[in-house]
Amino acid sequence: MVLDAFSVRVALGVVTLTLFALFCASFYRTRSPYAGWWSIALLEFMVGNAAFLLNGTTHQQWANPVGNVLVVAGAFSVWAGARSLRDLKTAPWQLAAGPGITAIASMLEEPATNVWSGGFVYLAMMTAGIALAATDLWLIKSSHSQAHKALSLAAGLLALYYLGRWAVYAMEGPAGATFRTYFGPAPSGLVSMVLLVTVSFSMTALTSDQLIKGLKERAARDHLTGLLNRGTFLDLATGELKRLRATESNVAIILADLDHFKAVNDEYGHGTGDVALKAFAAACTASARSTDLIARYGGEEFILFLPGATQERAENIAGEISRRMAATAVPEGVTFPTISYGVTSSPNAAADLTFMIEVADAALYSAKAQGRNRIVGADRLQAAVIADEARS
């Protein structure tokens, strides 16, 4: 039995249109980046296959290259969606490269008379786009639902199918018996239809998983600065301290407070105060390492947990934060507050987290008492206390 390519493409278009409508509605409700990219991909697949229906007409000259470009763009949009599940962004040039190369190849091979104009490049780009999507789906962290594994396998099978199409096309051309029977427009449309439906069911689980992940992320972070909130910080720092204690590693804590912050709000308004808080959060993030924990501890008070850091290293980081804060561009007529720090450390992570925070808080209080805009380490604080006791 020979499949009718036109009928298969019409059926594929109907299925794609239905799925597009469903996932547009899903994206409207959830704002999931993956649902958004999948909706874009479905639209590109749908319009691209509609363009192929014009093959054999007077419109073939422009419709055939447009179809090639849009279908390839759909494959790369699926890849962008897979990357979004790994919290990775896709640059415009990465999305445009495959379709752009396909457009050039399609226009160079007489599209007015050749329905397979640019076919070799088109099949190669489809293989590349779908294979990249399968790879990124497989590399999603295990904290996500396991639906991504099934989706990755489905995408991998489709990539292998397109690789087979490309190889047979290269060996015998589109007129070959093997290509027409197993890899022509009709059989490939049927395969694509089955996989679109299969993938769309998996998409529902992945979209929900991404939404839940986003909600958890927002719940764990301060809405203004994007830093960890106090509760999440304490949970993560407690677990990290246990690990460091087992390996007898250093650990340090910095407690920071923006000086006279209330005066900033009173003089310039709370909007300016928010700008100052976000600027300080950015300075902390730029000065610390990716392994450090940074949180808004409350109001204008911030805390940093530095695994492996010595007292000296922690005090240097505090100084670096202040330098970055001082170099931050400020609104005209506004002066950002200075910062006071209390710093403590534990050579073998032997101290309790609550005790370390209390010591850092005492050092911060001392910094405030000494005139603010300074870094006070717990070791110097203890030396001052001993000196005071000796004088008395």
Side-chain angles (χ1 to χ4, degrees), residues 359-364 366-367 370 376-386:
V359 173
D361 189 53
L364 175 60
S366 177
Q370 293 177 43
V376 173
D379 54 348
R380 291 202 296 272
L381 174 64
Q382 292 161 354
V385 170
I386 294 170

Side-chain angles (χ1 to χ4, degrees), residues 182-352:
Y182 300 105
F183 300 108
S188 68
L190 190 61
V191 170
S192 298
M193 194 186 313
V194 172
L195 284 173
L196 277 178
V197 174
T198 303
V199 165
S200 294
F201 276 104
S202 300
M203 280 287 305
T204 303
L206 287 170
T207 299
S208 299
D209 194 60
Q210 189 174 51
L211 178 62
I212 292 170
K213 179 176 178 287
L215 291 172
K216 287 181 178 178
E217 180 73 12
R218 285 194 290 273
R221 294 191 175 273
D222 172 62
H223 73 281
L224 178 64
T225 63
L227 300 179
L228 297 172
N229 61 35
R230 181 171 180 156
T232 304
F233 171 85
L234 292 174
D235 289 342
L236 294 175
T238 298
E240 183 66 5
L241 189 59
K242 289 180 181 178
R243 185 189 68 81
L244 294 170
R245 191 174 296 133
T247 58
E248 297 186 346
S249 301
N250 292 341
V251 64
I253 283 181
I254 301 173
L255 203 57
D257 188 86
L258 275 62
D259 299 326
H260 301 298
F261 184 72
K262 184 177 182 300
V264 174
N265 282 334
D266 292 343
E267 184 174 354
Y268 305 114
H270 288 277
T272 301
D274 289 348
V275 172
L277 291 171
K278 289 191 284 188
F280 182 73
C284 288
T285 303
S287 303
R289 303 160 301 177
S290 59
T291 53
D292 298 332
L293 302 176
I294 314 170
R296 186 180 179 188
Y297 203 56
E300 65 272 20
E301 195 170 49
F302 296 78
I303 189 167
L304 291 84
F305 181 92
L306 312 174
T310 62
Q311 180 78 19
E312 181 182 5
R313 172 61 181 154
E315 292 181 17
N316 288 338
I317 290 175
E320 176 65 19
I321 294 171
S322 283
R323 285 189 289 274
R324 288 182 183 275
M325 183 68 172
T328 301
V330 298
E332 187 176 353
V334 174
T335 302
F336 275 172
T338 56
I339 306 102
S340 297
Y341 302 90
V343 182
T344 188
S345 61
S346 178
N348 300 312
D352 176 76

Side-chain angles (χ1 to χ4, degrees), residues 61-97:
Q61 182 171 3
W62 62 265
N64 195 267
V66 167
N68 287 347
V69 169
L70 287 175
V71 174
V72 170
F76 279 85
S77 293
V78 174
W79 175 48
R83 285 172 61 82
S84 77
L85 286 171
R86 299 179 60 205
D87 297 321
L88 299 174
K89 294 188 180 297
T90 306
W93 72 266
Q94 292 175 303
L95 286 172

Side-chain angles (χ1 to χ4, degrees), residues 99-169:
I101 294 170
T102 303
I104 294 171
S106 298
M107 294 301 298
L108 291 177
E109 294 186 2
E110 301 180 356
T113 56
N114 179 12
V115 295
W116 278 100
S117 59
F120 183 83
V121 173
Y122 162 75
L123 294 176
M125 291 298 104
M126 286 296 295
T127 303
I130 299 169
L132 287 169
T135 301
D136 273 289
L137 285 166
W138 189 263
L139 293 175
I140 293 172
K141 294 179 181 178
S142 58
S143 58
H144 289 257
S145 67
Q146 293 302 305
H148 70 278
K149 295 293 186 185
L151 189 53
S152 175
L153 289 173
L157 289 173
L158 186 58
L160 286 175
Y161 180 77
Y162 266 94
L163 179 62
R165 292 188 78 190
W166 175 79
V168 175
Y169 182 96

